[in-house]
Amino acid sequence: AKSMGSDPNKIRRRAAQLGELNPMLGHRGCRLGVTHPEIYEMQARAIFEAAIRVERDRGETVRPEVMIPLVATRAEFDLLRERIEKIAEAVEEDLGDKLSYLIGTMIELPRACLCAGSLAEGAEFFSFGTNDLTQTTFGISRDDSAHFLPIYQEQGIVTKDPFVSIDVSGVGELIRLATERGRSTRRDIKLGICGEHGGDPTSIEFCQRIGLDYVSCSPYRVPIARLAAAQAAIGKLVKVD
């Protein structure tokens, strides 16, 4: 409040207005960007200005990949892409440098998987947010599932915790379908996953099998992910089951 010259009580009230009881399916992701465009505009400007500064200060070319999360419709993506592009143009004009960047989306909802062909007309990459895609496909919250998933595993209802290893027959099928539909529209689209599944060897093998380009995971799981990715790639080359 002090840095903006604003009333602390006004900031406090605004923060309270944005609070939610069920944030998993609530007012977040691209929905926040649609209803409060100043948030995404601020974030996009910060990304683009940082990219130009790095190139000026270090002589290293940076190509940001701006990812629009929780998209359910093509209209959401198109609206936000247009706003982000306008910010990029403004930054180029303000700083006198040209930017190279990609704009894509995080696929976290079943509807986005089904509409991937349409989304790929505007999105230059997909990153499958497997944590939320698992939540929305199963209709269960990762925060609450610890109360019953162990019992499900004991009784053989599920063989593995779907938040640890990708549920290939359900969540995986949506990813495979979205991969096919996305590539049918944009052959060079970049595809990957982000989430804890990116550090699970079984999930990485699945990603290799359907032809994803990369996996992303938390830092401490990177060594395991790199080893699993190498094993999956070698297995594919020598056709090992």
Side-chain angles (χ1 to χ4, degrees):
K2 183 178 180 181
S3 67
M4 294 189 299
S6 182
D7 180 0
N9 290 323
K10 181 180 179 182
I11 301 296
R12 193 174 292 112
R13 285 194 300 271
R14 187 61 171 151
Q17 288 174 350
L18 293 172
E20 294 185 276
L21 296 176
N22 186 11
M24 185 192 84
L25 296 176
H27 191 188
R28 65 183 183 93
C30 66
R31 301 161 189 170
L32 198 61
V34 170
T35 56
H36 299 287
E38 67 277 7
I39 295 177
Y40 271 30
E41 289 170 1
M42 171 270 293
Q43 291 177 333
R45 176 172 284 275
I47 291 169
F48 293 138
E49 288 182 352
I52 289 176
R53 288 199 180 104
V54 168
E55 188 160 2
R56 286 181 178 179
D57 295 345
R58 301 189 179 185
E60 299 177 9
T61 300
V62 177
R63 193 185 194 196
E65 297 183 3
V66 181
M67 184 161 59
I68 301 172
L70 210 67
V71 165
T73 68
R74 172 76 183 275
E76 290 170 319
F77 180 85
D78 289 346
L79 174 67
L80 293 172
R81 177 176 182 126
E82 183 180 352
R83 289 177 179 172
I84 291 167
E85 288 173 336
K86 287 181 179 178
I87 294 297
E89 292 171 3
V91 170
E92 288 177 333
E93 185 174 344
D94 292 345
L95 299 184
D97 274 309
K98 295 296 291 181
L99 286 160
S100 175
Y101 61 92
L102 299 176
I103 299 179
T105 186
M106 184 179 286
I107 303 287
E108 303 168 86
L109 301 174
R111 190 182 193 281
C113 292
L114 296 173
C115 300
S118 175
L119 287 172
E121 292 178 9
E124 294 165 300
F125 66 89
F126 290 164
S127 182
F128 293 98
T130 53
N131 294 338
D132 273 349
L133 186 56
T134 298
Q135 293 191 105
T136 54
T137 302
F138 274 91
I140 59 179
S141 168
R142 186 167 59 150
D143 297 328
D144 300 324
S145 62
H147 296 299
F148 61 86
L149 276 181
I151 299 172
Y152 269 46
Q153 288 180 264
E154 289 174 8
Q155 298 188 21
I157 297 173
V158 295
T159 56
K160 294 182 179 179
D161 184 335
F163 292 109
V164 174
S165 189
I166 287 178
D167 162 52
V168 173
S169 60
V171 177
E173 181 65 12
L174 285 170
I175 295 173
R176 184 195 61 76
L177 185 149
T179 296
E180 292 177 355
R181 294 186 179 182
R183 283 192 171 134
S184 70
T185 298
R186 186 186 293 268
R187 292 183 62 184
D188 63 345
I189 192 167
K190 186 177 180 179
L191 301 171
I193 68 167
C194 56
E196 289 307 302
H197 296 97
D200 171 58
T202 303
S203 300
I204 290 171
E205 192 277 331
F206 166 75
C207 293
Q208 170 72 24
R209 194 164 68 244
I210 65 171
L212 299 191
D213 300 306
Y214 70 92
V215 297
S216 174
C217 61
S218 54
Y220 77 94
R221 303 193 77 179
V222 168
I224 296 174
R226 293 183 69 179
L227 177 61
Q231 290 173 333
I234 292 171
K236 183 177 181 181
L237 288 172
V238 299
K239 297 182 180 180
V240 174
D241 291 336

